[in-house]
Amino acid sequence: QVQLVESGGGLVQAGGSLRLSCAASARTFTNYAMSWFRQAPGKEREFVAGISQSGDDTPYADSVKGRFTISRDNAKKTLYLHMNSLKPEDTAVYYCAARLLLLTTRALRYGNWGQGTRVTVSS
């Protein structure tokens, strides 16, 4: 298993930027596909962005394409989500998730989750 700890959330005005980080404790971080999910109050958890082991596959939810960028630093065993042009509808708790080998956008396929970091975008 892998332990995940998110950080970087906070309050930001619409149009602003924020970078989320997810620090992973794993022997072989490169064996894991990584994703960001988010959950707003009263809403189901939804996929935001994912990145494959090699980093060459980076799917995004339509709602964040062109605004968010996912990346990973395997040497630092850290996952990032750079969020630009933030909108009030981006307000949610953001979760980091990891699974061995294969990248997927389905939350139920992930067994490793961080505690979440809250992002609030004011209008």
Side-chain angles (χ1 to χ4, degrees), residues 10 13 18-19 30 43 45 53 71-73 77 80-81 84-86 90 93 98 103-104 118-119:
Q13 293 184 333
L18 209 58
R19 189 184 73 170
T30 54
K43 304 290 185 178
R45 188 167 298 187
Q53 294 172 267
S71 63
R72 65 190 295 162
D73 187 330
K77 297 182 179 181
Y80 301 99
L81 183 68
N84 295 317
S85 302
L86 284 163
D90 294 319
V93 176
L103 176 64
T104 179
R118 187 177 301 276
V119 172

Short mmCIF file of all heavy atoms in Angstrom, two decimals, residues 10 13 18-19 30 43 45 53 71-73 77 80-81 84-86 90 93 98 103-104 118-119:
data_model
loop_
_atom_site.label_atom_id
_atom_site.label_comp_id
_atom_site.label_asym_id
_atom_site.label_seq_id
_atom_site.Cartn_x
_atom_site.Cartn_y
_atom_site.Cartn_z
N GLY A 10 -6.92 25.85 -0.12
CA GLY A 10 -7.14 27.11 0.55
C GLY A 10 -8.22 27.92 -0.12
O GLY A 10 -8.97 27.41 -0.95
N GLN A 13 -9.66 33.68 -4.89
CA GLN A 13 -10.68 34.38 -5.66
C GLN A 13 -10.81 33.79 -7.05
O GLN A 13 -9.87 33.22 -7.59
CB GLN A 13 -10.36 35.87 -5.76
CG GLN A 13 -10.43 36.62 -4.44
CD GLN A 13 -10.19 38.11 -4.60
OE1 GLN A 13 -9.52 38.54 -5.54
NE2 GLN A 13 -10.75 38.89 -3.71
N LEU A 18 -3.90 27.99 -7.92
CA LEU A 18 -3.54 27.23 -6.74
C LEU A 18 -2.82 25.97 -7.18
O LEU A 18 -3.16 25.40 -8.22
CB LEU A 18 -4.80 26.89 -5.95
CG LEU A 18 -4.75 26.71 -4.43
CD1 LEU A 18 -4.22 27.97 -3.75
CD2 LEU A 18 -6.14 26.38 -3.91
N ARG A 19 -1.85 25.52 -6.41
CA ARG A 19 -1.18 24.26 -6.69
C ARG A 19 -1.35 23.30 -5.54
O ARG A 19 -0.99 23.60 -4.40
CB ARG A 19 0.31 24.47 -6.96
CG ARG A 19 0.99 23.19 -7.48
CD ARG A 19 2.49 23.34 -7.65
NE ARG A 19 3.19 23.38 -6.38
CZ ARG A 19 4.51 23.31 -6.25
NH1 ARG A 19 5.28 23.22 -7.33
NH2 ARG A 19 5.07 23.35 -5.05
N THR A 30 6.87 4.69 -8.87
CA THR A 30 6.72 4.60 -10.32
C THR A 30 5.79 3.47 -10.75
O THR A 30 5.39 3.42 -11.92
CB THR A 30 8.07 4.41 -11.01
OG1 THR A 30 8.75 3.28 -10.45
CG2 THR A 30 8.95 5.65 -10.82
N LYS A 43 -22.59 16.46 -3.64
CA LYS A 43 -22.27 15.90 -4.95
C LYS A 43 -21.48 14.61 -4.81
O LYS A 43 -20.88 14.34 -3.78
CB LYS A 43 -21.45 16.90 -5.78
CG LYS A 43 -22.11 18.26 -5.96
CD LYS A 43 -23.31 18.18 -6.87
CE LYS A 43 -23.86 19.57 -7.14
NZ LYS A 43 -25.01 19.54 -8.06
N ARG A 45 -18.35 12.08 -5.73
CA ARG A 45 -16.94 12.27 -6.01
C ARG A 45 -16.72 12.11 -7.52
O ARG A 45 -17.21 11.16 -8.13
CB ARG A 45 -16.11 11.26 -5.24
CG ARG A 45 -14.61 11.50 -5.33
CD ARG A 45 -13.86 10.67 -4.30
NE ARG A 45 -14.24 11.03 -2.94
CZ ARG A 45 -13.64 10.57 -1.85
NH1 ARG A 45 -12.61 9.73 -1.96
NH2 ARG A 45 -14.07 10.94 -0.66
N GLN A 53 1.88 5.92 -15.17
CA GLN A 53 3.19 5.70 -14.57
C GLN A 53 4.29 6.50 -15.25
O GLN A 53 5.13 7.11 -14.59
CB GLN A 53 3.56 4.21 -14.64
CG GLN A 53 2.69 3.30 -13.82
CD GLN A 53 3.00 1.86 -14.11
OE1 GLN A 53 2.36 1.23 -14.96
NE2 GLN A 53 4.01 1.33 -13.43
N SER A 71 0.83 16.69 -12.91
CA SER A 71 2.21 16.27 -13.14
C SER A 71 2.68 15.42 -11.97
O SER A 71 2.05 15.40 -10.91
CB SER A 71 3.12 17.48 -13.34
OG SER A 71 3.16 18.29 -12.18
N ARG A 72 3.78 14.72 -12.18
CA ARG A 72 4.36 13.92 -11.10
C ARG A 72 5.87 14.05 -11.13
O ARG A 72 6.49 14.18 -12.19
CB ARG A 72 3.93 12.45 -11.21
CG ARG A 72 4.44 11.72 -12.45
CD ARG A 72 3.77 10.36 -12.61
NE ARG A 72 4.11 9.45 -11.53
CZ ARG A 72 3.42 8.34 -11.23
NH1 ARG A 72 2.34 8.03 -11.96
NH2 ARG A 72 3.80 7.57 -10.23
N ASP A 73 6.45 14.01 -9.96
CA ASP A 73 7.89 14.02 -9.80
C ASP A 73 8.24 12.71 -9.11
O ASP A 73 8.09 12.57 -7.90
CB ASP A 73 8.34 15.22 -8.97
CG ASP A 73 9.85 15.36 -8.92
OD1 ASP A 73 10.56 14.34 -8.98
OD2 ASP A 73 10.34 16.50 -8.81
N LYS A 77 8.60 11.57 -5.32
CA LYS A 77 7.41 10.79 -5.00
C LYS A 77 6.24 11.70 -4.67
O LYS A 77 5.55 11.54 -3.66
CB LYS A 77 7.69 9.83 -3.83
CG LYS A 77 8.75 8.80 -4.14
CD LYS A 77 8.95 7.84 -2.97
CE LYS A 77 9.99 6.79 -3.30
NZ LYS A 77 10.18 5.84 -2.18
N TYR A 80 1.25 16.46 -8.38
CA TYR A 80 0.84 17.85 -8.35
C TYR A 80 -0.41 18.08 -9.19
O TYR A 80 -0.67 17.38 -10.16
CB TYR A 80 1.94 18.77 -8.88
CG TYR A 80 3.24 18.68 -8.13
CD1 TYR A 80 4.28 17.90 -8.62
CD2 TYR A 80 3.43 19.38 -6.94
CE1 TYR A 80 5.48 17.82 -7.94
CE2 TYR A 80 4.62 19.31 -6.26
CZ TYR A 80 5.65 18.53 -6.76
OH TYR A 80 6.84 18.46 -6.08
N LEU A 81 -1.16 19.11 -8.82
CA LEU A 81 -2.25 19.60 -9.65
C LEU A 81 -2.18 21.12 -9.63
O LEU A 81 -2.47 21.74 -8.61
CB LEU A 81 -3.61 19.13 -9.13
CG LEU A 81 -4.81 19.54 -9.99
CD1 LEU A 81 -4.77 18.82 -11.34
CD2 LEU A 81 -6.13 19.24 -9.28
N ASN A 84 -5.42 26.71 -12.65
CA ASN A 84 -5.48 28.08 -13.14
C ASN A 84 -6.91 28.49 -13.43
O ASN A 84 -7.78 27.64 -13.62
CB ASN A 84 -4.64 28.24 -14.40
CG ASN A 84 -3.16 28.02 -14.17
OD1 ASN A 84 -2.60 28.50 -13.18
ND2 ASN A 84 -2.52 27.31 -15.10
N SER A 85 -7.13 29.79 -13.52
CA SER A 85 -8.44 30.33 -13.88
C SER A 85 -9.55 29.68 -13.07
O SER A 85 -10.56 29.23 -13.63
CB SER A 85 -8.68 30.15 -15.38
OG SER A 85 -7.67 30.78 -16.14
N LEU A 86 -9.37 29.62 -11.79
CA LEU A 86 -10.32 28.93 -10.92
C LEU A 86 -11.69 29.59 -10.94
O LEU A 86 -11.81 30.82 -11.02
CB LEU A 86 -9.78 28.87 -9.50
CG LEU A 86 -8.68 27.83 -9.30
CD1 LEU A 86 -7.91 28.10 -8.02
CD2 LEU A 86 -9.29 26.43 -9.27
N ASP A 90 -15.35 25.12 -8.96
CA ASP A 90 -14.21 24.27 -8.61
C ASP A 90 -14.13 24.02 -7.11
O ASP A 90 -13.29 23.23 -6.67
CB ASP A 90 -12.90 24.89 -9.09
CG ASP A 90 -12.80 24.96 -10.60
OD1 ASP A 90 -13.21 23.98 -11.27
OD2 ASP A 90 -12.31 25.99 -11.11
N VAL A 93 -13.58 19.45 -1.95
CA VAL A 93 -12.44 18.80 -1.31
C VAL A 93 -11.76 17.96 -2.37
O VAL A 93 -12.41 17.16 -3.05
CB VAL A 93 -12.88 17.92 -0.13
CG1 VAL A 93 -11.69 17.17 0.45
CG2 VAL A 93 -13.53 18.77 0.96
N ALA A 98 -4.24 6.61 -5.64
CA ALA A 98 -3.21 5.82 -6.31
C ALA A 98 -3.66 4.38 -6.48
O ALA A 98 -4.37 3.84 -5.63
CB ALA A 98 -1.91 5.87 -5.51
N LEU A 103 -3.90 3.15 -15.14
CA LEU A 103 -4.64 4.38 -14.88
C LEU A 103 -6.12 4.19 -15.21
O LEU A 103 -6.46 3.62 -16.24
CB LEU A 103 -4.06 5.52 -15.72
CG LEU A 103 -4.76 6.88 -15.66
CD1 LEU A 103 -4.68 7.45 -14.25
CD2 LEU A 103 -4.13 7.84 -16.66
N THR A 104 -6.98 4.70 -14.36
CA THR A 104 -8.41 4.66 -14.58
C THR A 104 -9.04 5.94 -14.03
O THR A 104 -8.49 6.56 -13.12
CB THR A 104 -9.06 3.43 -13.92
OG1 THR A 104 -10.47 3.45 -14.14
CG2 THR A 104 -8.81 3.43 -12.41
N ARG A 118 -9.08 21.01 1.10
CA ARG A 118 -10.22 21.81 0.69
C ARG A 118 -9.81 23.00 -0.16
O ARG A 118 -8.90 23.75 0.19
CB ARG A 118 -10.99 22.29 1.93
CG ARG A 118 -12.30 23.01 1.62
CD ARG A 118 -13.02 23.40 2.91
NE ARG A 118 -13.32 22.24 3.74
CZ ARG A 118 -14.38 21.46 3.59
NH1 ARG A 118 -15.26 21.71 2.63
NH2 ARG A 118 -14.56 20.43 4.39
N VAL A 119 -10.53 23.18 -1.26
CA VAL A 119 -10.33 24.33 -2.14
C VAL A 119 -11.63 25.11 -2.19
O VAL A 119 -12.68 24.56 -2.51
CB VAL A 119 -9.93 23.89 -3.56
CG1 VAL A 119 -9.92 25.09 -4.51
CG2 VAL A 119 -8.58 23.21 -3.54
#
